């Protein structure tokens, strides 16, 4: 049981409103680093904070630190399009992502923090007969693997998304909907895990850059940081976008390429889209936020980069894709743009598990799908670190697969963009 200093509820909100909101306290401490911890997590995003939370709650560890170079949620957790789904092709992928989706379904209650999870559905379109065949195959795979799926005719697609272009260049021939899919509020997920982890005694240390590792006889024994040396026997790394750089500090390479992935938000509109829509032909996906803005994503900026910015041609292609789907949006203005750095493994499947250095574990390679994996990734990564054995759900996601050849190629299987 997590004991919060102040439980969030409608009653506490009403009481504070009457008191002028003077009784709210910081949701988590800004801790100072100690000389020694049982566990250290590098990366104060969703995965790092969720891992710390489950280490403390499920496995009973109390002496844990989360080190963040900048501020929590300032990396990929704050730079994505907040989509949650489990519509993958291979059994290993569907089992893991559906577990994560189930955790999302109870996350607001678990954390006593409204993460604004909205199960409005995730719909993928088909624009030619090959696409229809792919959707039928994906629907069958999802149902066989235990995920929910609906195959929709063109009439059913248009009935559910009434604003679609009546005369598109790419005809809409079918749709595949996952009703339990949807979106959540990205910063709420980070802040909810931070608050809950802090309540369990986890030290969240911001402005603390990792500069190296202490390694002796193949075993990690310390983390070198900009705020001094921290001794520990177990280190978990969850630094999406910079995993390869941290791995090189420990003396090994990862089969990862890092790219920028842009996203955009339009000016606010009246409610007009109540699902998450993905169009492979135009390369874009779109949903509408609670504030009314269209949240738009598209393909990667296909050149390796660690820069959190994108290029204008990709933005122009994304705008063209949206106008192809919804011509009535042609005069809508972009309000904001950002880019996250995504780690893409060679088989488009993540790595959660051990590394060549004993006591050093990595959680990385989520490509464009890291946000939806936060609860499941944190839960399984915590299990892996606590027991020094992978959780069964992430056992297929180990680095060993690049030695055995048992890859999980979701780029070809599910048709994902990364």
């Amino acid at each position: 049981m997590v004991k919060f200093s102040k439980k969030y509820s409608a009653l506490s909100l009403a009481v504070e409103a009457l008191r002028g909101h003077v009784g709210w306290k910081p949701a988590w401490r800004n801790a100072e680093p100690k000389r020694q911890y049982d566990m250290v997590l590098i990366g104060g995003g969703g995965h790092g904070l969720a891992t710390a939370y489950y280490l403390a709650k499920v496995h009973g560890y109390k002496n844990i630190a989360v080190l963040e170079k900048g501020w929590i949620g300032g990396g990929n957790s704050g730079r994505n399009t907040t989509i949650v789904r489990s519509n993958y092709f291979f059994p290993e992928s569907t089992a893991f992502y559906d577990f994560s989706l189930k955790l999302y379904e109870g996350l607001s209650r678990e954390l006593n923090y409204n993460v604004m999870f909205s199960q409005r559905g995730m719909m993928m379109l088909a624009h030619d007969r090959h696409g229809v065949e792919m959707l039928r195959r994906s629907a069958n795979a999802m149902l066989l693997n235990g995920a929910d799926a609906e195959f929709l005719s063109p009439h059913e697609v248009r009935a559910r998304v009434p604003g679609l272009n009546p005369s598109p260049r790419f005809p809409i021939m079918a749709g595949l909907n996952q009703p339990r899919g949807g979106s959540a509020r990205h910063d709420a997920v980070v802040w909810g895990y931070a608050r809950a982890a802090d309540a369990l005694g986890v030290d969240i240390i911001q402005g603390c850059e990792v500069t190296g590792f202490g390694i002796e006889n193949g075993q990690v024994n310390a983390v070198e940081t900009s705020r001094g040396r921290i001794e520990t026997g177990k280190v978990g790394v969850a630094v999406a976008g910079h995993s390869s750089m941290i791995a090189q500090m420990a003396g090994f390479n990862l089969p990862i390429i890092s790219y920028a992935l842009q996203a955009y938000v339009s000016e606010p509109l009246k409610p007009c889209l109540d699902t998450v829509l993905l169009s492979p032909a135009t390369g874009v996906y779109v949903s509408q936020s609670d504030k009314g803005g269209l949240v738009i994503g598209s393909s990667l900026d296909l050149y390796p980069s660690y820069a959190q910015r994108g290029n204008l041609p990709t933005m122009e292609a994304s705008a063209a894709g949206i106008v192809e789907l919804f011509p009535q949006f042609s005069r809508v203005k972009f309000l904001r743009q950002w880019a996250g750095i995504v780690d893409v493994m060679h088989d488009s499947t993540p790595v959660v598990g051990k590394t060549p250095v004993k006591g050093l574990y990595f959680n990385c390679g989520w490509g464009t799908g890291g946000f939806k994996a936060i609860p499941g990734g944190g839960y399984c990564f915590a299990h892996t670190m606590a027991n020094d054995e992978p959780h069964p759900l992430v056992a297929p996601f180990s680095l060993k697969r690049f030695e055995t050849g048992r890859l999980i190629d979701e780029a070809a299987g599910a048709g994902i963009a990364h």
Side-chain angles (χ1 to χ4, degrees), residues 196-272:
D198 177 84
L200 290 169
V202 173
D203 282 353
I204 298 170
I205 304 165
Q206 303 179 80
C208 184
E209 181 179 0
V210 170
T211 57
F213 294 97
I215 299 173
E216 188 172 347
N217 297 324
Q219 163 76 50
V220 68
N221 57 26
V223 179
E224 304 288 351
T225 80
S226 57
R227 298 174 67 176
R229 179 183 176 91
I230 298 174
E231 296 177 356
T232 181
K234 288 193 175 183
V235 180
V237 179
V239 293
H242 295 83
S243 304
S244 54
M245 300 171 73
I246 297 292
Q248 287 173 0
M249 289 183 189
F252 61 91
N253 294 317
L254 290 171
I256 274 180
I257 301 177
S258 298
Y259 301 96
L261 176 66
Q262 295 191 71
Y264 323 91
V265 173
S266 77
E267 60 186 325
L269 305 175
K270 295 284 188 183
C272 58

Side-chain angles (χ1 to χ4, degrees), residues 43-278:
H47 281 267
L49 291 164
T51 303
Y53 168 72
Y54 291 117
L55 277 170
K57 186 190 177 192
V58 178
H59 302 282
Y61 284 88
K62 302 300 180 188
N63 191 25
I64 304 170
V66 176
L67 310 182
E68 169 55 46
K69 176 182 178 181
W71 62 94
I72 63 168
N76 276 12
S77 295
R79 293 172 172 271
N80 63 81
T81 48
T82 75
I83 307 304
V84 178
R85 58 186 172 84
S86 63
N87 54 349
Y88 281 76
F89 184 78
F90 289 103
E92 299 92 337
S93 304
T94 304
F96 169 79
Y97 286 108
D98 211 56
F99 172 70
S100 193
L101 198 160
K102 287 174 182 171
L103 290 181
Y104 260 115
E105 289 172 333
L107 197 58
S108 292
R109 185 178 296 277
E110 165 92 18
L111 301 179
N112 181 228
Y113 203 102
N114 184 6
V115 301
M116 302 173 72
F117 182 42
S118 170
Q119 291 182 289
R120 64 187 70 178
M122 167 77 206
M123 187 184 300
M124 181 183 294
L125 301 178
H127 300 280
D128 53 39
R129 63 185 180 86
H130 304 292
V132 174
E133 183 179 334
M134 282 290 292
L135 290 195
R136 289 191 182 281
R137 191 182 70 148
S138 294
N140 287 333
M142 290 169 63
L143 293 171
L144 285 171
N145 293 329
D148 55 319
E150 296 177 330
F151 186 84
L152 305 176
S153 69
H155 175 74
E156 291 172 317
V157 170
R158 291 189 176 280
R160 298 196 186 192
V161 191
L164 282 168
N165 189 349
S167 303
R169 175 186 176 192
F170 303 105
I172 295 170
M173 301 182 67
L176 173 59
N177 186 45
Q178 182 177 27
R180 292 169 54 238
S183 65
R185 180 73 185 174
H186 51 91
D187 45 14
V189 173
V190 170
W191 297 341
Y193 272 119
R195 174 172 172 264
D198 177 84
L200 290 169
V202 173
D203 282 353
I204 298 170
I205 304 165
Q206 303 179 80
C208 184
E209 181 179 0
V210 170
T211 57
F213 294 97
I215 299 173
E216 188 172 347
N217 297 324
Q219 163 76 50
V220 68
N221 57 26
V223 179
E224 304 288 351
T225 80
S226 57
R227 298 174 67 176
R229 179 183 176 91
I230 298 174
E231 296 177 356
T232 181
K234 288 193 175 183
V235 180
V237 179
V239 293
H242 295 83
S243 304
S244 54
M245 300 171 73
I246 297 292
Q248 287 173 0
M249 289 183 189
F252 61 91
N253 294 317
L254 290 171
I256 274 180
I257 301 177
S258 298
Y259 301 96
L261 176 66
Q262 295 191 71
Y264 323 91
V265 173
S266 77
E267 60 186 325
L269 305 175
K270 295 284 188 183
C272 58
L273 183 64
D274 63 353
T275 190
V276 181
L277 190 70
L278 187 154

Side-chain angles (χ1 to χ4, degrees), residues 76 79-81 259-264 285 297-301 307 309-310 314 337-342 367-369 417-418:
N76 276 12
R79 293 172 172 271
N80 63 81
T81 48
Y259 301 96
L261 176 66
Q262 295 191 71
Y264 323 91
Y285 54 98
S298 63
S299 60
L300 302 170
D301 288 21
R309 58 180 181 270
T314 302
Q337 172 272 352
W338 64 88
I341 304 304
V342 295
T368 60
H418 58 266

